[in-house]
Amino acid sequence: MKYRALSLIIILWFVTCSIFLFMNMPFIYTTVVQILNLQHDIKMSSGQISDNYLLIIRYLQSFFISDMQTTLPINNVVRIHFRDVRGLILLNNLFMVVMTPIVIKILIILRKNHFLWLLKSALRQIYGCSVFLFVFALIDFNDAFIFFHKILFRNNDWIFNAKKEPIIILFPDQYFMIGFVFVFIFVTVFYLILFRFINRST
């Protein structure tokens, strides 16, 4: 049971690391902007869109920036939602930072005592569940995206009107879908690297 719990923590650690990587790879966002031609929809240049995106990402990941800065008009609905998102992102990054040395130390101890092999079965099971959830969500991403928001947010401030809250145009559904796929791919890569490490250590 404890190895199953440890495996779940490791997979969650993989997820938080992947989310952090995705958010700090702005070239993915700029590529989406070019492909979808968001400049036309929001009447801004690519440079302006990129600058606004970076300002928002910095706000979401910083404990020291108290107010989100953007050249787009922001009302109270937008402020509340992005404040809620910021809380989740900071929690994600905090978990990643705290768990990184802990997970590494545990893996080193297990390797030293020749117990790493005990993780294999639990890791397979938990990763298998994550694959099932990924495929299920990808089949109907729009409904999965809505369900995800209803779970994480207690209010309806995440429902934006493009005319009143044009900032929503900066974050099209395709961007979040790419992020979802990105996270799953990187979790898979981390999982395979860990499995190879386990196999080579036993």
Side-chain angles (χ1 to χ4, degrees), residues 2-10 13 95 98-119 123 194 197-198 201:
K2 66 178 180 179
Y3 290 104
R4 189 168 296 168
L6 177 57
S7 297
L8 177 60
I9 290 173
I10 290 173
W13 177 58
F95 181 89
V98 171
M99 292 310 299
T100 294
I102 294 175
V103 169
I104 292 174
K105 185 174 181 178
I106 289 174
L107 291 176
I108 291 174
I109 292 173
L110 289 176
R111 182 187 185 189
K112 184 177 180 180
N113 292 290
H114 306 289
F115 289 151
L116 269 179
W117 64 274
L118 293 171
L119 286 174
L123 278 170
L194 177 57
F197 172 73
I198 292 173
S201 300

Side-chain angles (χ1 to χ4, degrees), residues 183-197:
V183 168
F184 178 75
I185 290 174
F186 266 73
V187 167
T188 300
V189 170
F190 291 144
Y191 167 79
L192 293 175
I193 291 173
L194 177 57
F195 236 79
R196 184 175 181 182
F197 172 73

